[in-house]
Amino acid sequence: MQNLDNPSLADIQALCLLIIHEWGNRNAVRAYVYLGQASRMAQMYRIIAVHQNRGDPDQFIKDESFRRTLWLIYVLDCFLTSSPGRQPAVSHHDIKDVPLPCPDMSYNFGTPVYVRTLAGGPPPALPDPSTPMTEVGEFGHIVMATQAWRNVIEMLTTVTSATFSEEECASLEAGIEAVRSSLPMHFMDKPGHINLHITMGSGYTYAMLHCLLHCATIMVNRRRLLHLVTTDGFNHETWRIVPHVHLQTVDRVFAAAHSVVSLLLALEANTDKDAVLNFPLVMLFSCFTACSTVAWFSLKGLTPGDVNETAESIVRDGMRFLQDGANIWILAVPWYRHLSVMNKVLRNGDRPPQRAQAEPAAPSIKDDTASQPDNNADPMDYERPQSANAQEHADGRGSEPPRKSGFTTINGGSAGASTPATASPPPGQQKSDSPAPSSSGQPAEPAPASGSDMTAAELCVAFERQLLELDDLAAFMGGGV
Protein backbone atom coordinates (compact mmCIF):
# COMPACT_ATOMS: atom_id res chain seq x y z
CA MET A 1 0.00 0.00 0.00
CA GLN A 2 2.94 2.35 0.53
CA ASN A 3 3.67 2.47 -3.21
CA LEU A 4 0.17 3.28 -4.43
CA ASP A 5 1.13 6.90 -5.11
CA ASN A 6 3.97 5.77 -7.36
CA PRO A 7 3.42 2.12 -8.36
CA SER A 8 6.37 0.22 -9.76
CA LEU A 9 6.27 -2.56 -12.33
CA ALA A 10 7.43 -5.00 -9.66
CA ASP A 11 4.43 -4.03 -7.50
CA ILE A 12 2.03 -4.73 -10.35
CA GLN A 13 3.66 -8.06 -11.19
CA ALA A 14 3.56 -9.11 -7.53
CA LEU A 15 -0.15 -8.28 -7.46
CA CYS A 16 -0.68 -10.51 -10.52
CA LEU A 17 0.92 -13.39 -8.64
CA LEU A 18 -1.38 -12.69 -5.71
CA ILE A 19 -4.39 -12.76 -8.04
CA ILE A 20 -3.41 -16.21 -9.32
CA HIS A 21 -2.83 -17.44 -5.75
CA GLU A 22 -6.23 -16.26 -4.52
CA TRP A 23 -7.95 -17.56 -7.65
CA GLY A 24 -6.39 -21.00 -7.23
CA ASN A 25 -7.54 -21.07 -3.61
CA ARG A 26 -11.16 -20.33 -4.59
CA ASN A 27 -11.09 -16.83 -3.12
CA ALA A 28 -12.99 -15.48 -6.09
CA VAL A 29 -13.92 -12.05 -4.75
CA ARG A 30 -10.42 -11.34 -3.49
CA ALA A 31 -8.90 -12.27 -6.85
CA TYR A 32 -11.42 -10.07 -8.68
CA VAL A 33 -10.76 -7.08 -6.40
CA TYR A 34 -6.98 -7.46 -6.72
CA LEU A 35 -7.44 -7.66 -10.48
CA GLY A 36 -9.13 -4.27 -10.53
CA GLN A 37 -6.36 -2.83 -8.38
CA ALA A 38 -3.66 -4.20 -10.69
CA SER A 39 -5.41 -2.69 -13.71
CA ARG A 40 -5.60 0.76 -12.11
CA MET A 41 -1.97 0.57 -10.97
CA ALA A 42 -0.92 -0.34 -14.52
CA GLN A 43 -2.77 2.67 -15.89
CA MET A 44 -1.05 4.99 -13.44
CA TYR A 45 2.35 3.41 -14.12
CA ARG A 46 1.80 3.92 -17.84
CA ILE A 47 1.10 7.64 -17.36
CA ILE A 48 4.07 8.16 -15.06
CA ALA A 49 6.52 6.13 -17.17
CA VAL A 50 5.82 8.21 -20.29
CA HIS A 51 7.67 11.13 -18.72
CA GLN A 52 10.63 9.16 -17.41
CA ASN A 53 13.77 7.53 -18.79
CA ARG A 54 13.20 8.45 -22.43
CA GLY A 55 16.95 8.32 -23.12
CA ASP A 56 17.55 5.01 -21.35
CA PRO A 57 19.39 2.52 -23.63
CA ASP A 58 17.35 -0.28 -22.03
CA GLN A 59 14.09 1.52 -22.71
CA PHE A 60 12.83 -1.17 -25.10
CA ILE A 61 13.19 -3.86 -22.44
CA LYS A 62 11.40 -1.67 -19.89
CA ASP A 63 8.60 -0.86 -22.32
CA GLU A 64 8.22 -4.49 -23.36
CA SER A 65 8.19 -5.58 -19.70
CA PHE A 66 5.28 -3.23 -19.07
CA ARG A 67 3.46 -4.38 -22.19
CA ARG A 68 3.78 -8.01 -21.13
CA THR A 69 2.51 -7.17 -17.66
CA LEU A 70 -0.48 -5.33 -19.13
CA TRP A 71 -1.25 -8.29 -21.39
CA LEU A 72 -1.04 -10.62 -18.39
CA ILE A 73 -3.63 -8.46 -16.64
CA TYR A 74 -5.77 -8.64 -19.79
CA VAL A 75 -5.53 -12.45 -19.85
CA LEU A 76 -6.44 -12.71 -16.15
CA ASP A 77 -9.30 -10.29 -16.76
CA CYS A 78 -10.66 -12.52 -19.53
CA PHE A 79 -10.60 -15.49 -17.17
CA LEU A 80 -11.93 -13.87 -14.00
CA THR A 81 -14.89 -12.09 -15.60
CA SER A 82 -16.34 -15.22 -17.20
CA SER A 83 -19.75 -14.75 -15.61
CA PRO A 84 -22.65 -12.31 -15.91
CA GLY A 85 -22.19 -9.37 -13.58
CA ARG A 86 -18.40 -9.42 -13.62
CA GLN A 87 -17.37 -6.19 -15.33
CA PRO A 88 -13.97 -6.21 -17.09
CA ALA A 89 -11.14 -4.37 -15.41
CA VAL A 90 -9.34 -3.78 -18.73
CA SER A 91 -11.26 -1.83 -21.34
CA HIS A 92 -10.82 -1.87 -25.09
CA HIS A 93 -9.35 1.63 -24.84
CA ASP A 94 -6.62 0.36 -22.50
CA ILE A 95 -5.22 -2.11 -25.04
CA LYS A 96 -6.25 -0.89 -28.50
CA ASP A 97 -2.88 0.78 -29.20
CA VAL A 98 -0.67 -1.62 -27.23
CA PRO A 99 1.53 -3.88 -29.38
CA LEU A 100 1.32 -7.60 -28.72
CA PRO A 101 4.32 -9.18 -26.97
CA CYS A 102 7.35 -9.55 -29.23
CA PRO A 103 9.32 -12.80 -29.71
CA ASP A 104 11.18 -13.89 -26.60
CA MET A 105 14.50 -13.74 -28.44
CA SER A 106 14.08 -10.03 -29.19
CA TYR A 107 12.96 -9.35 -25.63
CA ASN A 108 15.80 -11.27 -23.98
CA PHE A 109 18.48 -9.59 -26.11
CA GLY A 110 16.89 -6.15 -26.00
CA THR A 111 16.51 -5.90 -29.76
CA PRO A 112 13.89 -3.24 -30.57
CA VAL A 113 11.17 -4.53 -32.90
CA TYR A 114 7.68 -3.47 -33.90
CA VAL A 115 4.72 -5.83 -33.46
CA ARG A 116 1.10 -5.39 -34.50
CA THR A 117 -1.72 -4.69 -32.07
CA LEU A 118 -4.40 -7.19 -31.05
CA ALA A 119 -6.75 -5.66 -33.61
CA GLY A 120 -4.15 -6.24 -36.34
CA GLY A 121 -3.08 -2.64 -36.89
CA PRO A 122 0.43 -1.17 -36.73
CA PRO A 123 1.70 0.08 -33.36
CA PRO A 124 1.56 3.85 -32.77
CA ALA A 125 5.36 4.00 -32.39
CA LEU A 126 5.96 2.71 -35.93
CA PRO A 127 8.14 5.38 -37.61
CA ASP A 128 6.56 5.05 -41.05
CA PRO A 129 4.45 2.54 -42.98
CA SER A 130 7.50 1.12 -44.76
CA THR A 131 9.14 0.04 -41.50
CA PRO A 132 9.02 -3.76 -41.29
CA MET A 133 7.16 -5.37 -38.41
CA THR A 134 8.21 -8.62 -36.78
CA GLU A 135 5.98 -11.59 -36.07
CA VAL A 136 3.95 -11.89 -32.89
CA GLY A 137 5.85 -13.49 -30.01
CA GLU A 138 5.07 -16.64 -28.07
CA PHE A 139 3.13 -14.86 -25.34
CA GLY A 140 1.35 -12.83 -27.99
CA HIS A 141 -0.15 -15.99 -29.47
CA ILE A 142 -1.50 -16.90 -26.03
CA VAL A 143 -3.11 -13.46 -25.83
CA MET A 144 -4.77 -14.01 -29.22
CA ALA A 145 -5.98 -17.47 -28.16
CA THR A 146 -7.35 -15.99 -24.94
CA GLN A 147 -9.34 -13.45 -26.93
CA ALA A 148 -10.86 -16.24 -29.06
CA TRP A 149 -11.66 -18.21 -25.89
CA ARG A 150 -13.22 -15.13 -24.31
CA ASN A 151 -15.42 -14.52 -27.36
CA VAL A 152 -16.89 -17.99 -26.85
CA ILE A 153 -17.49 -17.22 -23.17
CA GLU A 154 -19.37 -14.04 -24.07
CA MET A 155 -21.65 -16.06 -26.33
CA LEU A 156 -22.28 -18.63 -23.59
CA THR A 157 -23.13 -15.98 -21.01
CA THR A 158 -25.53 -14.04 -23.23
CA VAL A 159 -27.28 -16.61 -25.41
CA THR A 160 -30.58 -18.22 -24.48
CA SER A 161 -32.61 -20.99 -26.07
CA ALA A 162 -34.61 -18.33 -27.89
CA THR A 163 -31.60 -16.34 -29.12
CA PHE A 164 -29.27 -19.24 -29.97
CA SER A 165 -27.73 -18.74 -33.40
CA GLU A 166 -25.92 -21.33 -35.46
CA GLU A 167 -24.40 -18.49 -37.46
CA GLU A 168 -22.83 -17.07 -34.30
CA CYS A 169 -21.32 -20.45 -33.47
CA ALA A 170 -19.91 -20.71 -36.98
CA SER A 171 -18.43 -17.22 -36.65
CA LEU A 172 -16.78 -18.12 -33.33
CA GLU A 173 -15.30 -21.28 -34.82
CA ALA A 174 -13.97 -19.23 -37.72
CA GLY A 175 -12.30 -16.91 -35.21
CA ILE A 176 -10.65 -19.86 -33.48
CA GLU A 177 -9.42 -21.22 -36.79
CA ALA A 178 -8.10 -17.77 -37.73
CA VAL A 179 -5.87 -17.82 -34.65
CA ARG A 180 -4.66 -21.33 -35.53
CA SER A 181 -3.89 -20.35 -39.11
CA SER A 182 -1.94 -17.29 -37.97
CA LEU A 183 0.47 -19.37 -35.92
CA PRO A 184 4.02 -19.79 -37.23
CA MET A 185 4.90 -23.24 -38.51
CA HIS A 186 6.68 -24.32 -35.32
CA PHE A 187 3.60 -23.47 -33.24
CA MET A 188 1.12 -25.36 -35.41
CA ASP A 189 -0.78 -28.17 -33.70
CA LYS A 190 0.91 -31.15 -35.32
CA PRO A 191 1.90 -34.59 -33.99
CA GLY A 192 5.26 -34.53 -32.25
CA HIS A 193 5.51 -30.75 -31.99
CA ILE A 194 4.83 -30.81 -28.25
CA ASN A 195 7.85 -33.05 -27.68
CA LEU A 196 10.10 -30.72 -29.67
CA HIS A 197 8.86 -27.75 -27.66
CA ILE A 198 9.45 -29.61 -24.40
CA THR A 199 13.04 -30.23 -25.52
CA MET A 200 13.45 -26.52 -26.30
CA GLY A 201 11.90 -25.45 -22.98
CA SER A 202 8.68 -24.05 -24.44
CA GLY A 203 6.45 -27.07 -23.82
CA TYR A 204 4.11 -25.34 -21.39
CA THR A 205 3.78 -22.31 -23.67
CA TYR A 206 2.81 -24.53 -26.59
CA ALA A 207 0.41 -26.60 -24.46
CA MET A 208 -1.22 -23.54 -22.89
CA LEU A 209 -1.84 -22.01 -26.31
CA HIS A 210 -3.49 -25.09 -27.77
CA CYS A 211 -5.42 -25.98 -24.60
CA LEU A 212 -7.12 -22.58 -24.87
CA LEU A 213 -8.00 -23.12 -28.53
CA HIS A 214 -9.20 -26.69 -27.99
CA CYS A 215 -11.24 -25.66 -24.94
CA ALA A 216 -12.92 -22.92 -26.98
CA THR A 217 -13.66 -25.41 -29.75
CA ILE A 218 -15.21 -27.85 -27.29
CA MET A 219 -17.37 -25.22 -25.60
CA VAL A 220 -18.83 -23.76 -28.79
CA ASN A 221 -19.63 -27.19 -30.24
CA ARG A 222 -20.97 -28.42 -26.91
CA ARG A 223 -23.36 -25.46 -26.87
CA ARG A 224 -24.56 -26.49 -30.33
CA LEU A 225 -25.47 -29.97 -29.13
CA LEU A 226 -26.84 -28.67 -25.83
CA HIS A 227 -29.30 -26.56 -27.79
CA LEU A 228 -30.23 -29.59 -29.87
CA VAL A 229 -30.85 -32.01 -26.99
CA THR A 230 -32.73 -29.48 -24.86
CA THR A 231 -35.04 -28.43 -27.68
CA ASP A 232 -38.46 -30.00 -27.94
CA GLY A 233 -38.57 -32.71 -30.54
CA PHE A 234 -35.11 -34.22 -29.95
CA ASN A 235 -35.35 -37.91 -30.78
CA HIS A 236 -32.72 -40.46 -29.79
CA GLU A 237 -33.92 -42.88 -32.45
CA THR A 238 -33.28 -40.33 -35.18
CA TRP A 239 -29.86 -39.55 -33.72
CA ARG A 240 -28.82 -43.21 -33.59
CA ILE A 241 -29.89 -44.18 -37.07
CA VAL A 242 -29.79 -41.19 -39.40
CA PRO A 243 -26.44 -39.49 -40.10
CA HIS A 244 -26.58 -35.71 -40.01
CA VAL A 245 -24.39 -32.68 -39.58
CA HIS A 246 -24.20 -32.95 -35.79
CA LEU A 247 -22.14 -36.12 -36.07
CA GLN A 248 -19.28 -33.92 -37.30
CA THR A 249 -19.74 -31.78 -34.21
CA VAL A 250 -19.24 -34.82 -31.98
CA ASP A 251 -16.13 -35.78 -33.96
CA ARG A 252 -14.65 -32.30 -33.56
CA VAL A 253 -15.20 -32.38 -29.80
CA PHE A 254 -13.61 -35.81 -29.49
CA ALA A 255 -10.61 -34.71 -31.53
CA ALA A 256 -10.14 -31.58 -29.40
CA ALA A 257 -10.56 -33.53 -26.15
CA HIS A 258 -8.05 -36.12 -27.31
CA SER A 259 -5.58 -33.34 -28.12
CA VAL A 260 -5.94 -31.69 -24.70
CA VAL A 261 -5.29 -34.92 -22.84
CA SER A 262 -2.42 -35.81 -25.18
CA LEU A 263 -0.71 -32.47 -24.47
CA LEU A 264 -0.90 -33.07 -20.73
CA LEU A 265 0.31 -36.64 -21.13
CA ALA A 266 3.36 -35.44 -23.07
CA LEU A 267 4.23 -32.89 -20.39
CA GLU A 268 3.78 -35.52 -17.71
CA ALA A 269 5.97 -38.03 -19.53
CA ASN A 270 8.80 -35.52 -19.79
CA THR A 271 8.66 -34.35 -16.17
CA ASP A 272 11.45 -35.38 -13.84
CA LYS A 273 10.29 -38.15 -11.52
CA ASP A 274 11.20 -36.11 -8.45
CA ALA A 275 9.50 -32.95 -9.67
CA VAL A 276 5.98 -31.89 -8.70
CA LEU A 277 3.77 -31.69 -11.78
CA ASN A 278 1.85 -28.40 -11.58
CA PHE A 279 -0.38 -27.56 -14.53
CA PRO A 280 -1.74 -24.01 -14.83
CA LEU A 281 -5.38 -23.61 -13.84
CA VAL A 282 -6.51 -22.94 -17.40
CA MET A 283 -4.94 -26.18 -18.62
CA LEU A 284 -6.66 -28.12 -15.84
CA PHE A 285 -9.99 -26.49 -16.65
CA SER A 286 -9.50 -27.34 -20.32
CA CYS A 287 -8.91 -30.92 -19.24
CA PHE A 288 -12.07 -30.90 -17.11
CA THR A 289 -14.10 -29.36 -19.94
CA ALA A 290 -12.81 -31.93 -22.41
CA CYS A 291 -13.36 -34.96 -20.18
CA SER A 292 -16.76 -33.97 -18.81
CA THR A 293 -18.02 -33.24 -22.33
CA VAL A 294 -16.77 -36.58 -23.65
CA ALA A 295 -18.42 -38.35 -20.71
CA TRP A 296 -21.70 -36.51 -21.35
CA PHE A 297 -21.67 -37.41 -25.03
CA SER A 298 -21.08 -41.07 -24.21
CA LEU A 299 -23.69 -41.24 -21.45
CA LYS A 300 -26.20 -39.39 -23.62
CA GLY A 301 -25.74 -41.88 -26.45
CA LEU A 302 -24.44 -39.28 -28.90
CA THR A 303 -21.40 -41.34 -29.86
CA PRO A 304 -20.97 -44.60 -31.76
CA GLY A 305 -20.49 -47.63 -29.58
CA ASP A 306 -16.96 -48.30 -30.82
CA VAL A 307 -15.58 -45.12 -29.20
CA ASN A 308 -16.80 -45.86 -25.68
CA GLU A 309 -13.40 -47.29 -24.79
CA THR A 310 -11.78 -44.09 -26.06
CA ALA A 311 -14.18 -41.99 -23.98
CA GLU A 312 -13.39 -43.95 -20.83
CA SER A 313 -9.66 -43.65 -21.51
CA ILE A 314 -9.87 -39.87 -21.97
CA VAL A 315 -11.91 -39.46 -18.79
CA ARG A 316 -9.59 -41.76 -16.83
CA ASP A 317 -6.51 -39.76 -17.80
CA GLY A 318 -8.30 -36.51 -17.02
CA MET A 319 -9.22 -37.87 -13.60
CA ARG A 320 -5.55 -38.38 -12.78
CA PHE A 321 -4.58 -34.89 -13.83
CA LEU A 322 -7.40 -33.29 -11.86
CA GLN A 323 -6.65 -35.39 -8.79
CA ASP A 324 -3.01 -34.29 -8.87
CA GLY A 325 -4.06 -30.71 -9.57
CA ALA A 326 -6.42 -30.74 -6.59
CA ASN A 327 -3.41 -31.36 -4.35
CA ILE A 328 -2.06 -27.95 -5.43
CA TRP A 329 -5.09 -25.89 -6.44
CA ILE A 330 -8.17 -25.96 -4.20
CA LEU A 331 -10.09 -24.60 -7.17
CA ALA A 332 -9.67 -27.94 -8.96
CA VAL A 333 -11.21 -30.05 -6.17
CA PRO A 334 -14.85 -29.61 -7.29
CA TRP A 335 -13.86 -30.31 -10.88
CA TYR A 336 -12.27 -33.58 -9.81
CA ARG A 337 -15.23 -34.60 -7.67
CA HIS A 338 -17.70 -33.88 -10.43
CA LEU A 339 -15.72 -35.81 -13.03
CA SER A 340 -15.36 -38.68 -10.54
CA VAL A 341 -19.10 -39.22 -10.49
CA MET A 342 -19.37 -39.00 -14.25
CA ASN A 343 -16.56 -41.52 -14.51
CA LYS A 344 -18.32 -43.91 -12.18
CA VAL A 345 -21.56 -43.84 -14.16
CA LEU A 346 -19.56 -44.19 -17.36
CA ARG A 347 -17.77 -47.29 -16.04
CA ASN A 348 -21.05 -48.78 -14.90
CA GLY A 349 -22.08 -48.96 -18.53
CA ASP A 350 -25.48 -47.40 -17.89
CA ARG A 351 -25.94 -45.59 -21.17
CA PRO A 352 -28.53 -45.59 -23.97
CA PRO A 353 -28.04 -47.82 -27.01
CA GLN A 354 -25.50 -46.22 -29.29
CA ARG A 355 -26.36 -44.88 -32.71
CA ALA A 356 -25.71 -47.07 -35.72
CA GLN A 357 -22.47 -46.25 -37.50
CA ALA A 358 -21.58 -47.78 -40.83
CA GLU A 359 -18.09 -46.37 -41.15
CA PRO A 360 -15.36 -46.98 -38.54
CA ALA A 361 -14.33 -44.28 -36.10
CA ALA A 362 -11.38 -42.09 -36.98
CA PRO A 363 -8.14 -43.82 -35.94
CA SER A 364 -6.68 -40.52 -34.70
CA ILE A 365 -9.19 -40.57 -31.88
CA LYS A 366 -9.30 -44.19 -30.82
CA ASP A 367 -6.07 -45.84 -31.86
CA ASP A 368 -3.73 -43.00 -30.92
CA THR A 369 -5.09 -42.41 -27.43
CA ALA A 370 -2.32 -43.06 -24.92
CA SER A 371 -3.98 -43.94 -21.63
CA GLN A 372 -2.42 -44.25 -18.22
CA PRO A 373 -3.28 -46.65 -15.39
CA ASP A 374 -6.39 -45.71 -13.47
CA ASN A 375 -5.09 -44.41 -10.17
CA ASN A 376 -8.62 -43.83 -8.92
CA ALA A 377 -10.15 -47.23 -9.44
CA ASP A 378 -12.17 -47.18 -6.22
CA PRO A 379 -15.84 -46.50 -6.83
CA MET A 380 -17.15 -43.02 -6.10
CA ASP A 381 -20.38 -43.25 -4.15
CA TYR A 382 -22.80 -40.40 -3.92
CA GLU A 383 -26.29 -39.67 -2.73
CA ARG A 384 -29.61 -38.75 -4.17
CA PRO A 385 -31.10 -35.48 -2.93
CA GLN A 386 -32.34 -35.68 0.63
CA SER A 387 -32.96 -33.24 3.43
CA ALA A 388 -31.73 -35.29 6.39
CA ASN A 389 -28.25 -34.80 7.84
CA ALA A 390 -27.50 -31.84 5.59
CA GLN A 391 -25.67 -29.95 8.31
CA GLU A 392 -23.60 -33.00 9.22
CA HIS A 393 -22.25 -33.25 5.70
CA ALA A 394 -21.52 -29.52 5.63
CA ASP A 395 -19.21 -29.66 8.65
CA GLY A 396 -15.48 -29.90 8.15
CA ARG A 397 -15.39 -28.34 4.70
CA GLY A 398 -13.14 -25.48 5.70
CA SER A 399 -13.74 -22.36 3.67
CA GLU A 400 -16.46 -23.79 1.45
CA PRO A 401 -20.06 -22.73 2.12
CA PRO A 402 -22.26 -25.47 3.61
CA ARG A 403 -24.69 -27.13 1.26
CA LYS A 404 -27.02 -30.04 1.04
CA SER A 405 -25.74 -33.52 0.42
CA GLY A 406 -26.52 -35.06 -2.90
CA PHE A 407 -26.54 -33.12 -6.15
CA THR A 408 -25.36 -29.52 -6.01
CA THR A 409 -24.02 -27.07 -8.51
CA ILE A 410 -20.82 -28.01 -10.23
CA ASN A 411 -18.89 -25.30 -8.43
CA GLY A 412 -19.51 -26.90 -5.06
CA GLY A 413 -21.72 -24.14 -3.72
CA SER A 414 -25.14 -22.63 -4.03
CA ALA A 415 -26.22 -19.89 -6.33
CA GLY A 416 -25.22 -16.48 -5.10
CA ALA A 417 -22.67 -17.74 -2.58
CA SER A 418 -19.85 -15.43 -1.65
CA THR A 419 -16.17 -16.18 -1.74
CA PRO A 420 -15.73 -19.51 0.11
CA ALA A 421 -12.99 -18.28 2.42
CA THR A 422 -14.71 -15.15 3.55
CA ALA A 423 -18.45 -15.63 3.86
CA SER A 424 -21.30 -18.03 4.39
CA PRO A 425 -24.14 -18.53 1.93
CA PRO A 426 -27.42 -16.71 2.30
CA PRO A 427 -30.37 -18.67 3.64
CA GLY A 428 -32.75 -20.15 1.19
CA GLN A 429 -33.19 -23.00 -1.17
CA GLN A 430 -30.03 -24.34 -2.75
CA LYS A 431 -29.86 -25.80 -6.23
CA SER A 432 -29.51 -29.55 -6.31
CA ASP A 433 -28.48 -30.74 -9.70
CA SER A 434 -25.05 -32.31 -9.69
CA PRO A 435 -22.97 -34.68 -7.62
CA ALA A 436 -21.71 -33.01 -4.48
CA PRO A 437 -18.01 -32.13 -4.60
CA SER A 438 -15.84 -31.37 -1.61
CA SER A 439 -13.42 -28.47 -1.35
CA SER A 440 -11.40 -29.25 1.74
CA GLY A 441 -8.14 -28.61 -0.07
CA GLN A 442 -7.38 -32.32 -0.48
CA PRO A 443 -8.27 -34.75 -3.26
CA ALA A 444 -11.84 -35.87 -3.16
CA GLU A 445 -12.82 -38.87 -1.09
CA PRO A 446 -15.85 -41.08 -1.67
CA ALA A 447 -19.04 -39.79 -0.15
CA PRO A 448 -21.12 -42.22 1.89
CA ALA A 449 -23.68 -43.97 -0.22
CA SER A 450 -27.35 -43.97 0.59
CA GLY A 451 -29.79 -45.24 -1.95
CA SER A 452 -29.25 -46.42 -5.48
CA ASP A 453 -26.67 -44.93 -7.82
CA MET A 454 -27.44 -42.19 -10.28
CA THR A 455 -28.42 -43.33 -13.75
CA ALA A 456 -26.90 -42.02 -16.95
CA ALA A 457 -30.16 -40.28 -17.85
CA GLU A 458 -30.34 -38.51 -14.48
CA LEU A 459 -26.72 -37.43 -14.69
CA CYS A 460 -27.16 -36.09 -18.22
CA VAL A 461 -30.20 -34.05 -17.20
CA ALA A 462 -28.27 -32.60 -14.25
CA PHE A 463 -25.21 -31.82 -16.37
CA GLU A 464 -27.29 -30.14 -19.07
CA ARG A 465 -29.00 -27.97 -16.48
CA GLN A 466 -25.61 -27.02 -15.08
CA LEU A 467 -24.36 -25.93 -18.50
CA LEU A 468 -27.47 -23.86 -19.14
CA GLU A 469 -27.04 -22.17 -15.75
CA LEU A 470 -23.29 -21.57 -16.41
CA ASP A 471 -22.24 -23.53 -13.32
CA ASP A 472 -19.04 -24.66 -15.04
CA LEU A 473 -17.96 -21.04 -15.54
CA ALA A 474 -18.78 -20.22 -11.93
CA ALA A 475 -16.60 -23.16 -10.92
CA PHE A 476 -13.80 -21.89 -13.15
CA MET A 477 -13.75 -18.54 -11.35
CA GLY A 478 -14.01 -20.05 -7.87
CA GLY A 479 -17.71 -20.07 -7.19
CA GLY A 480 -17.90 -16.49 -5.94
CA VAL A 481 -20.31 -13.75 -6.93
Side-chain angles (χ1 to χ4, degrees):
M1 296 297 118
Q2 296 177 353
N3 295 332
L4 287 181
D5 292 329
N6 189 18
S8 68
L9 194 58
D11 295 331
I12 303 171
Q13 293 169 344
L15 198 53
C16 289
L17 293 176
L18 184 58
I19 292 168
I20 297 171
H21 169 77
E22 297 291 0
W23 176 29
N25 282 281
R26 294 193 69 201
N27 295 326
V29 174
R30 293 183 191 178
Y32 182 62
V33 171
Y34 287 140
L35 175 65
Q37 185 176 352
S39 175
R40 292 293 182 265
M41 290 173 66
Q43 292 175 23
M44 291 300 99
Y45 177 87
R46 188 179 186 179
I47 294 173
I48 295 171
V50 168
H51 305 288
Q52 298 177 351
N53 304 321
R54 288 294 94 186
D56 194 329
D58 295 329
Q59 191 60 42
F60 171 76
I61 295 179
K62 292 181 178 180
D63 291 343
E64 180 66 14
S65 297
F66 167 74
R67 286 192 289 266
R68 288 173 176 240
T69 303
L70 182 60
W71 284 120
L72 173 59
I73 295 173
Y74 169 79
V75 169
L76 292 173
D77 191 44
C78 288
F79 295 152
L80 290 173
T81 57
S82 301
S83 181
R86 291 283 190 96
Q87 299 302 319
V90 180
S91 69
H92 170 72
H93 178 75
D94 294 329
I95 60 172
K96 66 176 183 177
D97 293 330
V98 180
L100 288 166
C102 69
D104 290 348
M105 189 70 71
S106 299
Y107 177 49
N108 293 332
F109 283 92
T111 306
V113 292
Y114 298 98
V115 183
R116 72 175 183 86
T117 64
L118 184 59
L126 192 70
D128 60 78
S130 62
T131 303
M133 291 193 297
T134 191
E135 65 179 14
V136 176
E138 295 83 348
F139 183 33
H141 293 304
I142 291 180
V143 173
M144 295 167 62
T146 300
Q147 183 190 46
W149 182 92
R150 174 65 187 185
N151 290 339
V152 174
I153 297 299
E154 289 184 4
M155 181 272 290
L156 296 177
T157 56
T158 56
V159 73
T160 64
S161 297
T163 62
F164 175 83
S165 168
E166 174 60 33
E167 290 74 18
E168 184 177 8
C169 290
S171 175
L172 290 170
E173 272 206 298
I176 297 169
E177 291 305 317
V179 175
R180 285 197 176 103
S181 62
S182 70
L183 296 174
M185 185 61 65
H186 61 280
F187 263 98
M188 292 288 186
D189 186 13
K190 293 186 177 181
H193 271 197
I194 178 62
N195 294 317
L196 294 175
H197 278 278
I198 291 173
T199 302
M200 296 185 298
S202 55
Y204 274 84
T205 302
Y206 179 89
M208 178 80 163
L209 167 63
H210 288 288
C211 278
L212 280 167
L213 294 175
H214 289 312
C215 184
T217 298
I218 291 170
M219 288 192 294
V220 69
N221 284 288
R222 182 177 66 184
R223 188 61 183 85
R224 278 183 167 128
L225 291 182
L226 181 65
H227 179 74
L228 175 69
V229 302
T230 56
T231 301
D232 293 339
F234 173 73
N235 190 313
H236 276 92
E237 293 299 327
T238 303
W239 178 271
R240 296 188 199 109
I241 299 173
V242 181
H244 50 76
V245 67
H246 291 294
L247 303 185
Q248 297 177 354
T249 302
V250 173
D251 292 339
R252 283 196 294 270
V253 170
F254 260 78
H258 174 266
S259 296
V260 169
V261 173
S262 296
L263 289 170
L264 271 58
L265 284 170
L267 292 173
E268 180 190 46
N270 287 273
T271 300
D272 188 87
K273 64 178 181 180
D274 297 325
V276 176
L277 189 64
N278 183 10
F279 291 122
L281 288 167
V282 174
M283 291 171 62
L284 287 175
F285 183 73
S286 299
C287 178
F288 168 71
T289 300
C291 296
S292 60
T293 303
V294 164
W296 173 50
F297 283 3
S298 184
L299 292 171
K300 190 72 175 178
L302 304 182
T303 58
D306 55 359
V307 302
N308 286 334
E309 183 180 347
T310 300
E312 293 176 7
S313 175
I314 290 174
V315 174
R316 185 167 60 245
D317 288 329
M319 285 270 296
R320 287 192 307 101
F321 293 131
L322 290 175
Q323 183 177 28
D324 293 341
N327 286 326
I328 300 171
W329 303 108
I330 296 176
L331 184 66
V333 173
W335 311 346
Y336 167 71
R337 287 296 301 263
H338 186 85
L339 190 60
S340 297
V341 178
M342 299 190 82
N343 180 54
K344 177 182 179 180
V345 179
L346 191 64
R347 285 188 290 126
N348 286 345
D350 176 25
R351 56 174 70 92
Q354 308 297 324
R355 62 176 170 85
Q357 180 78 0
E359 66 276 4
S364 61
I365 302 301
K366 180 175 182 179
D367 299 337
D368 294 346
T369 301
S371 64
Q372 298 292 324
D374 186 2
N375 294 335
N376 190 56
D378 296 334
M380 283 288 296
D381 294 324
Y382 50 87
E383 301 171 282
R384 294 181 180 273
Q386 56 184 341
S387 58
N389 299 326
Q391 183 61 40
E392 177 182 346
H393 287 283
D395 295 338
R397 283 180 174 161
S399 64
E400 185 182 357
R403 57 184 179 273
K404 293 182 180 180
S405 59
F407 309 148
T408 65
T409 55
I410 193 173
N411 61 1
S414 61
S418 301
T419 299
T422 58
S424 59
Q429 181 66 29
Q430 294 179 334
K431 291 189 292 182
S432 58
D433 37 315
S434 80
S438 170
S439 181
S440 61
Q442 298 297 327
E445 296 179 0
S450 68
S452 59
D453 287 346
M454 195 178 199
T455 65
E458 291 171 336
L459 183 57
C460 288
V461 170
F463 186 68
E464 291 156 17
R465 185 161 61 248
Q466 290 170 341
L467 295 179
L468 290 172
E469 295 178 359
L470 307 179
D471 284 345
D472 59 326
L473 298 182
F476 175 62
M477 292 187 303
V481 294

